[in-house]
Structure formats: C-alpha cells, structure tokens
Amino acid sequence: MPVPTKELKLEIVNAATGKTLGAKAAPGADGALVVRDFPDDGPSPEQWQLTPVQAAQGGQAQEEQAYVIRSAAGDKVLDNPGAADRSVRQWDAAAGRKDQQWHLVPVEGEAGLYFIEAATDGAVLDLADPDDPGNDDQDDTRVVLREREDGAASQRWRFVTAEPERVSDPVLPWAPLDHWNGRRSWRLVRPTALRPAPGATPCFSDMLLVLEKFGSDQDAGGWKSHQANTFPSGQPGWWAGLGDRFLADTVEAGRKDIVGLKPAKGAVTSSGRGDGTFDDDERVLHPTAPSASPSDLWTLADLTGDGKPNVVVLATDGVRVSPQDQDGTFPPADGEPVLNAFGHGQQAGGWLADKHPRFLADTTGGGRLDIVGFHDDGVWVSLQDEDGTFAPLGDEPVLKAFGHDEEAGGWLADKHPRFLADTTGGGRLDIVGCHDDGVWVSLQDEDGNFAEPLYILDDFGTDQGWSSVEEHPRFLLKTTSDGELDIVGFGPQGVVVARGLGDGTFEPAKLVLNDFGHAQGWTSKKHARLLADTTGDGNPDIVGFGDEGVWVSHNRGDGQFEQAQLVCRGFGYNEDAGAWRVDRHPRFLADITGDGRLDIVGFGGPGVYVARNLFRRFRTR
C-alpha cells in the first residue's frame, strides 16, 4: 500500500522476524522499543499513526516528506536519543525536533516494505541482533539505528492496518404472545441483564420474520434480481429492475410498504401496517404493460411536489409516467411516452443501465423533478415545466463531459460515480464525479448552464485505490446538520471524508475511521455499507452489514465517528448471523412504524425480516 495517512492506526512489523514494534513486555523508564510477539490471548500489539511534518517554506529544493511516528494510545513518539548504543525509544513529543522525524523510504522491488530512516543522519531502524532476534528471556529484541544496507532484511518494515476497536452491544429478543382469538403477535423481551442507562448506546432488537413472502426461497416466491447495475432504493433518481424488492411509501401515508417487481405480473406490494409488520396479502400495484421489457427500469417518485407519487418507467421507447388512481394503484401508461428519450431502445437514444446513469432530480430548485442522463457524448437534461411536461432534448448535450466516450472523459459506470448536488448553496444542482485521478465538479449557474469541469481533489479515484463503485461506495451528503455537503467514501483503508467548503470545492480528504474498509476485511461480495441517521439527531451514522451482523459507527455530531458497535446479531454473512448474501438478500434502513426511527428490514430466504430500532439506551448490569 502507499505511505499511510496520519489518521490510520497501524502496526509496524519487522519483515525479517514478523514481530511487531512496541514497548518491552515490562516497560522501563528509558522508553526503549523492541520487536516482540503478541499471542492471541495476550495484550494487543502497539498501534502507531504517521503525522506528516509541515515542510518549511522557502526557495530551497523541496525536501523528502518527513513524518512523526506517534503512538495511537497517547502522545509518545518515536525518538532518536543519540545514545551510544543507538537504541530507539518512544518519548514525549516536542514540536520541531529533528530527531523525532523520520523518512519512509520504499524498498526497491519489494511492494509494501519500507526503510524507516532518521531525518537527522540517514540511519535506519534495525534489530540489535538480527542473527538471533529471540535471544533473551522476554523474547524482546531491541530496535536500534544503523547505517542502511539494501540487502538487510532486518531493516525492512511493513505497515499493517491495525484491527479496528469494536464493541459488541446487547440486543433485545422477540417472544411470541398468543391471544384468545387464535392470533399470535410478537413482543420484545427485556433480559434481566439489561437496564436503561443514560449515555449508553441505542440498540436494535433481534430480527423477526414478519412476512413469508418476497424471499429468495421457492416457498417465499423465489425472488431474484434480473437487472444488473441498478440500485433498488425506491428513492427519486434511483431505479429498480425486474426481480428487485425495496421499500416505498406508495400512498404518501408516512409509512413504508414492500414493493417488488415480479416478472409477468408487474409491481406488487404488501402494505405496511404501521407496527413493523406487513399485510399477508400481496396485491398488484402497477400491472405490467403489453410493451414491457426485462430491461425497463422502474421507480416511484413525486414528480411535481404535490404529495402524490407517480410510477416512472424508463422503457424501450422513452420515459413513461403513470399517475396514481383513487384506489392507490397505478395503471400502465398508455399511448405515447411523455418523452421520447432516455430509453434503452434505439428510437429513445439507446441508454443502457451498465453505461448511462440517469437521475430524477430538481436541478433548478423549482420543486419539480427533471431528468438528467449521462450518455456517451456527455450530459443531457430534460426540464419539467409547470404543466408537468418534459422538454424535448436539444441537438447537443448541455455539457460535453462526464460521458462514456473518450471525447467526453471516458467515464465508466462501474468505476466512476457521478452525483447531482448543490455544492454552493445556490439552489441549483451541480455535477460531481470521481474519475481515475480524483474529483471533478461542474457548477451550474443561474441560467442553468453547466461550466467546464474543474479538477478539485486528488482522491476518491481509481489512481488512489478506489477500484470500483461496487467495492468502494461513495456518497455526497452532510455529515453535520449545519455543515456543507461532504464526500464520504469507504476506501481501501477505511472511511474517508472530504469536507465541503460551500463553494464547489472540498478540503483534502482525511481518513476518519479505521474500519469498514478493504483493509479491515469489508468486501462488496459479502458486505453492504451505507450512511443513515439511526439515532434521530439529524447526523448520518455509518451502517455496515458485516460477518457477525449489523455494525454501526455513530456520528459524534462534528463529522467524526465513534468506534463501530454490533447493534444486531442478524442480517450478517456468517451462518449464525443468518447467512445473508449481497446478490440475493437486499437490506434497508427505513421507518416502518412511523415513530421517526429507522428500523432494519431485510429480504432473506424465507421472507421479510425486521429488527426494530428501540431508540432506548441500555447497559449490562
């Protein structure tokens, strides 16, 4: 990996011995450092952070970047005391001291290995006795400074991302309650080991099977997605394909219903009851049209801001819209499409799901949703007027950039995420995209024109290790309730945030959490990660569906995040957490009771599972 960033917690491992840099088993007053083994049942290895030293200003040639190597457990830093035996120690930090600064020199031809070189004289970290590193009773081998020898394995060091600190929280189980009329309900049982406590962490209940439909098992409907590269969130601007299941407020009643796109039947729904359960009966919400295609994309959105949802379909021949009937259903759109564009047929432009992202978004601040698409040659926009009519597309794209073809930037849907967001507070949406080299922004002016893209940030791109949209999700949202839009991403080393400045630019990206990244074992093939406000304080938290269950890192309110905590022992990849799979079992955070708290809803094998957000605070006795 590249030279680590200062926010990352690391273990420093000697390449020759595999032992970790740290204090002696019985630390002394001199602070001398050693390499030693850390057994599984023993203390955790020492963790370090690398802080870049600010380079001096002036006309001299730029010096090699120096770092202060700081203990993550306190303010002690790696120090060169200049002793006769050249022993290295950890000592109190002192600003500007050259003997507490180090260069990280990559070993030629050895990826991920470095010499740790003193900034004062060029000596490097080595073992006191490299020929016999385990020669004393404590198995502690002193670390010293020596002249560099390119062939000395004991002088090579590896930076290993430390295991994140995590907390396993208790959860409340469900218990059946039989009634006199033969019906059964479920209630939460409070174990005797729990009691309310101010300041403890809010937790979720265990998951409960609430509906034996919409599951991947044959007895539950045999549901599976057929449409690739869609995001079935049911939110404006995102699209669902055949076989997808998601949650949506189909009647604008303030509660979530289950919606699924069933082959040959259309969109079917099971209405939410408002108590965390759903109707047993499955009814047709939007019958399939005679001209329907498996490549059609579907969403439910309030196009005009009047509180009434519409079904919007990106069909073969263009955009089709179905208003809601009085019975709450949506008849198939008859006749001509509302716009002969943005469809997957050649007569509608040949827009493909795996090449051409399309959004429904209010680009002008007028309260109506417009259609924005990124085609081969750039950005195309159809504005919606006050009569609800979508304007035909012009002869040229509104911006010859952010497109799939090389002439428009070579933006690939699976590698280069693009967003529509107001980055300046002007009420109009700008275009933000993450390309190979980093982040590009095109600002929209008061006349609706998009400026030529500007390169504003050298991070969040494939060149910095963000290999794909799927492997490294990125979001554009506020991490504080009173702040600007920030870029948040799940990068190779953990959670990275670039704070918005409110003028279309962002601060340099920083790693804010040593978790949820590829280095900590999170992969797109096994785990889902997202951001949502689980506590109701207005700030998004980090939610990850991991191996053991659901992990949440709470937002502290200042854009920083606490260590992840296990809040539900379900919806996870492991067998004892339900054996949930990303490609078969979609999971969501949504308020299904109307109490303002986001619950966990998952479509598993046997059907629909729910874990209630208790929004209470508990601790063990």
Side-chain angles (χ1 to χ4, degrees):
M1 70 178 181
V3 174
T5 56
K6 64 179 180 180
E7 297 86 2
L8 186 62
K9 294 180 181 179
L10 303 157
E11 295 169 12
I12 303 178
V13 180
N14 186 265
T17 64
K19 296 180 180 181
T20 308
L21 176 70
K24 298 178 182 178
D30 59 356
L33 291 173
V34 298
V35 294
R36 52 185 288 240
D37 283 323
F38 289 85
D40 293 338
D41 56 351
S44 298
E46 187 150 1
Q47 298 177 6
W48 303 87
Q49 292 174 294
L50 306 186
T51 304
V53 177
Q54 186 71 32
Q57 301 294 323
Q60 298 180 354
Q62 185 176 3
E63 296 182 359
E64 184 179 356
Q65 176 65 64
Y67 293 84
V68 173
I69 303 179
R70 186 182 306 275
S71 172
D75 291 329
K76 301 290 186 180
V77 301
L78 203 67
D79 182 273
N80 171 17
D85 62 359
R86 302 304 313 269
S87 292
V88 178
R89 64 180 181 176
Q90 57 177 329
W91 207 250
D92 294 332
R97 277 186 52 180
K98 196 78 170 179
D99 51 10
Q100 293 182 348
Q101 298 177 14
W102 307 85
H103 297 146
L104 305 182
V105 183
V107 178
E108 187 175 354
E110 297 285 349
L113 294 182
Y114 295 86
F115 297 106
I116 302 177
E117 179 185 85
T120 52
D121 58 6
V124 299
L125 261 59
D126 198 353
L127 304 183
D129 189 355
D131 297 327
D132 187 12
N135 60 349
D136 58 18
D137 295 336
Q138 299 291 339
D139 198 24
D140 294 347
T141 304
R142 281 189 306 114
V143 176
V144 299
L145 283 167
R146 281 202 179 97
E147 184 177 349
R148 189 170 109 185
E149 298 179 23
D150 289 339
S154 60
Q155 295 182 357
R156 304 178 183 189
W157 301 85
R158 189 185 312 277
F159 297 97
V160 179
T161 303
E163 289 294 325
E165 301 172 15
R166 290 176 173 173
V167 178
S168 178
D169 282 341
V171 295
L172 299 190
W174 297 91
L177 182 65
D178 295 318
H179 300 279
W180 63 272
N181 59 1
R183 292 186 62 85
R184 169 177 286 188
S185 64
W186 297 83
R187 59 189 176 89
L188 289 168
V189 178
R190 183 183 299 178
T192 57
L194 297 177
R195 63 180 178 181
T201 304
C203 61
F204 288 77
S205 71
D206 275 336
M207 63 181 191
L208 171 69
L209 180 64
V210 298
L211 183 64
E212 295 182 2
K213 295 179 183 294
F214 296 97
S216 59
D217 294 349
Q218 288 302 314
D219 293 342
W223 285 78
K224 59 181 179 180
S225 299
H226 298 275
Q227 180 68 53
N229 296 309
T230 61
F231 189 88
S233 69
Q235 300 301 316
W238 296 104
W239 308 94
L242 197 63
D244 285 334
R245 293 144 288 164
F246 51 92
L247 299 167
D249 187 351
T250 63
V251 294
E252 296 293 329
R255 65 172 183 267
K256 297 296 185 181
D257 308 311
I258 294 172
V259 180
L261 303 184
K262 180 173 285 189
K265 200 170 183 179
V268 298
T269 185
S270 177
S271 299
R273 294 171 176 164
D275 61 355
T277 64
F278 301 88
D279 287 344
D280 294 331
D281 295 331
E282 176 188 295
R283 61 186 179 89
V284 176
L285 182 68
H286 179 239
T288 185
S291 60
S293 165
S295 298
D296 290 351
L297 298 178
W298 192 100
T299 195
L300 192 70
D302 178 6
L303 292 177
T304 61
D306 61 359
K308 297 180 181 179
N310 303 96
V311 167
V312 183
V313 179
L314 301 180
T316 304
D317 53 359
V319 182
R320 291 184 170 272
V321 176
S322 298
Q324 191 173 43
D325 280 346
Q326 292 184 349
D327 63 356
T329 63
F330 301 84
D334 296 326
E336 293 295 317
V338 299
L339 187 63
N340 291 303
F342 298 107
H344 52 84
Q346 290 302 314
Q347 68 271 36
W351 294 73
L352 305 178
D354 59 353
K355 290 177 63 176
H356 307 129
R358 284 150 285 176
F359 299 87
L360 285 172
D362 180 7
T363 64
T364 64
R368 292 175 175 271
L369 299 184
D370 312 306
I371 305 175
V372 181
F374 299 84
H375 208 282
D376 291 336
D377 51 358
V379 184
W380 295 81
V381 177
S382 173
L383 299 177
Q384 185 186 179
D385 62 24
E386 294 181 356
D387 298 326
T389 302
F390 288 94
L393 300 186
D395 296 331
E396 297 285 337
V398 299
L399 184 64
K400 293 182 178 180
F402 296 102
H404 184 272
D405 288 348
E406 287 297 326
E407 294 80 4
W411 292 76
L412 306 180
D414 61 341
K415 288 187 176 182
H416 308 134
R418 282 151 280 181
F419 307 92
L420 295 169
D422 181 6
T423 64
T424 64
R428 288 179 174 268
L429 300 187
D430 312 306
I431 300 171
V432 181
C434 304
H435 207 281
D436 292 338
D437 49 359
V439 181
W440 293 77
V441 170
S442 172
L443 300 179
Q444 185 185 181
D445 63 22
E446 294 180 356
D447 298 324
N449 300 315
F450 288 93
E452 284 298 311
L454 293 175
Y455 179 63
I456 60 169
L457 192 63
D458 56 350
D459 208 337
F460 299 102
T462 59
D463 291 349
Q464 294 88 32
W466 302 72
S467 58
S468 70
V469 172
E470 183 182 40
E471 194 65 47
H472 301 295
R474 278 147 278 183
F475 302 86
L476 202 59
L477 77 174
K478 292 183 178 181
T479 58
T480 58
S481 57
D482 58 350
E484 306 293 343
L485 288 175
D486 307 317
I487 303 174
V488 183
F490 297 94
Q493 303 297 338
V495 182
V496 178
V497 175
R499 311 286 181 199
L501 296 175
D503 60 356
T505 64
F506 299 84
E507 293 180 359
K510 293 184 179 180
L511 186 81
V512 299
L513 188 65
N514 186 47
D515 206 346
F516 296 104
H518 192 270
Q520 294 86 27
W522 293 79
T523 69
S524 63
K525 301 299 182 184
K526 297 171 59 177
H527 311 122
R529 290 155 290 172
L530 51 94
L531 290 107
D533 179 10
T534 64
T535 62
D537 63 358
N539 298 314
D541 308 303
I542 298 168
V543 183
F545 295 88
D547 291 333
E548 305 89 347
V550 184
W551 294 88
V552 171
S553 175
H554 293 107
N555 191 323
R556 295 174 180 171
D558 58 356
Q560 298 296 318
F561 296 88
E562 298 176 357
Q563 294 296 329
Q565 299 176 325
L566 185 65
V567 299
C568 182
R569 297 185 183 277
F571 303 103
Y573 185 85
N574 290 346
E575 291 293 328
D576 55 0
W580 292 71
R581 299 294 180 260
V582 170
D583 59 342
R584 297 199 300 273
H585 307 134
R587 285 150 283 181
F588 303 93
L589 286 162
D591 178 10
I592 58 174
T593 62
D595 60 3
R597 303 178 290 202
L598 295 182
D599 309 295
I600 304 171
V601 182
F603 297 87
V608 182
Y609 288 85
V610 167
R612 291 278 300 279
N613 185 340
L614 305 175
F615 207 62
R616 303 169 188 165
R617 297 174 181 268
F618 292 89
R619 70 181 176 197
T620 54
R621 289 187 181 277

